[in-house]
Amino acid sequence: MCRCKFRDFWNITYKWLKKRKYIKQNPWLDVDSISVPKEQKSRTVTPPPDIVPRLLNAKYEHRYEFPIKEFVYGLYRTGARKEELLFIELDDVDWTTGKWTIQPKRCPTKFGMSWSPKYGNSRLTILPPDVLQMLAPLRRRAMEHEVIGYTPDEDGKPIIAGAGFIFTAKDRTLSTPEKPVYKRVDCIRGAWGGLFVAAGLAEPKASSSQSTTKYKNGVKTRKDFSVPYTRHDMRRAFNVAAKQAGMSIDDRCTILGHGVTVNKEHYNGT
């Protein structure tokens, strides 16, 4: 349990006890809060350079065809946030020049028919030629097969909406052997963990049922793995690699979509 949740739990517990007169005063009010330095509040972990090749060479295939290797490589080579890559669609990219426009748009999400990048900020970035080449099969898949997303109706029930998403998995409900249907996914923790385990970079952890094959929505649950790096860590890996290649901090910040101060304090790795 993180420090803030631990604190809130006991504060609420003591309030409950005092209100019912089981205790005379809330002892938590006498405890001084712990001051955490700003530099320790944000994660600064950066994967080493050899991580990506090991992941790409791992013998792993997602059971519902989510392109986790392409996703890893896309994060590393573009510096994109996880959701930005999950929500990339055919029309967002000029597939000749590689220009990728990240901006608020209308598309199916679990909250409604709209999506927006962090803080609603739009930006233009470039997909490198090697990324375009890797995405070519996924682009063809999105063009040749039905791609959908789920979004709530007025009563909160999920309904199907057509889309042009690139990073999708096979929809188990709608797909048939003759006609596969692909959907955007909201969670890739299972695929992420499975790939790291296959690459020898993480060990499977037994769940409460002592099973390493517990599934939720078609993928292994998060607690089945002990993975040292998050999706967001790949943004720092991109920044470090770009810095070593001589890219200016202003150009890196433009691609990553944040300020110089944030980059200097949190994106140079530890």
Side-chain angles (χ1 to χ4, degrees):
M1 184 182 294
C2 70
R3 184 181 292 118
C4 61
K5 290 184 178 179
F6 180 84
R7 178 192 60 204
D8 292 341
F9 169 78
W10 284 110
N11 191 22
I12 293 172
T13 299
Y14 287 131
K15 282 184 177 179
W16 185 90
L17 292 171
K18 184 176 183 297
K19 184 176 181 180
R20 287 157 180 78
K21 298 182 179 180
Y22 291 113
I23 59 176
K24 292 183 178 181
Q25 64 181 27
N26 183 351
W28 191 252
L29 299 177
D30 297 328
V31 178
D32 294 332
S33 61
I34 301 174
S35 178
V36 180
K38 181 179 179 181
E39 60 271 14
Q40 295 182 15
K41 292 181 179 180
S42 298
R43 182 179 171 91
T44 58
V45 176
T46 300
D50 66 332
I51 288 293
V52 174
R54 291 181 64 180
L55 292 172
L56 296 182
N57 292 325
K59 294 182 179 180
Y60 177 82
E61 291 185 8
H62 190 266
R63 67 193 307 228
Y64 296 115
E65 301 180 17
F66 181 80
I68 185 61
K69 292 183 179 180
E70 291 86 345
F71 192 80
V72 167
Y73 195 68
L75 290 176
Y76 175 69
R77 290 289 284 126
T78 67
R81 297 180 177 91
K82 178 195 72 173
E83 280 206 352
E84 292 171 348
L85 212 54
L86 282 177
F87 277 91
I88 189 173
E89 295 184 86
L90 292 170
D91 294 340
D92 295 335
V93 179
D94 183 324
W95 296 97
T96 301
T97 63
K99 292 182 179 179
W100 175 21
T101 303
I102 304 173
Q103 62 184 355
K105 61 179 179 177
R106 179 176 173 78
C107 67
T109 78
K110 62 182 179 180
F111 302 110
M113 283 297 295
S114 65
W115 177 82
S116 177
K118 190 173 183 179
Y119 303 129
N121 295 334
S122 302
R123 70 182 190 277
L124 178 66
T125 188
I126 302 295
L127 297 178
D130 54 327
V131 175
L132 288 174
Q133 183 179 0
M134 180 170 274
L135 294 182
L138 298 180
R139 179 191 176 198
R140 288 195 297 270
R141 187 172 83 174
M143 295 173 64
E144 295 172 358
H145 298 284
E146 183 179 0
V147 178
I148 65 168
Y150 287 92
T151 191
D153 62 13
E154 294 180 354
D155 298 323
K157 297 180 180 179
I159 57 174
I160 298 171
F165 298 121
I166 300 294
F167 289 97
T168 56
K170 186 178 289 186
D171 189 296
R172 293 180 294 166
T173 303
L174 301 178
S175 293
T176 65
E178 297 77 22
K179 184 181 178 181
V181 177
Y182 293 89
K183 66 175 182 179
R184 186 191 60 76
V185 297
D186 291 310
C187 178
I188 62 165
R189 288 194 297 263
W192 186 265
L195 180 60
F196 269 80
V197 170
L201 297 169
E203 293 293 333
K205 289 168 54 179
S207 66
S208 58
S209 61
Q210 299 300 310
S211 169
T212 58
T213 56
K214 183 177 180 181
Y215 289 91
K216 180 180 180 181
N217 297 328
V219 296
K220 292 184 178 66
T221 58
R222 184 178 187 177
K223 62 184 178 182
D224 290 337
F225 304 107
S226 178
V227 181
Y229 303 109
T230 68
R231 276 70 69 196
H232 201 79
D233 290 342
M234 289 297 175
R235 277 170 60 81
R236 282 181 286 276
F238 163 85
N239 187 68
V240 171
K243 181 179 180 180
Q244 293 173 347
M247 185 182 293
S248 70
I249 189 170
D250 289 335
D251 287 342
R252 283 182 276 130
C253 289
T254 298
I255 293 173
L256 291 166
H258 59 213
V260 172
T261 301
V262 171
N263 191 286
K264 288 181 177 179
E265 291 183 354
H266 305 300
Y267 281 79
N268 287 304
T270 54

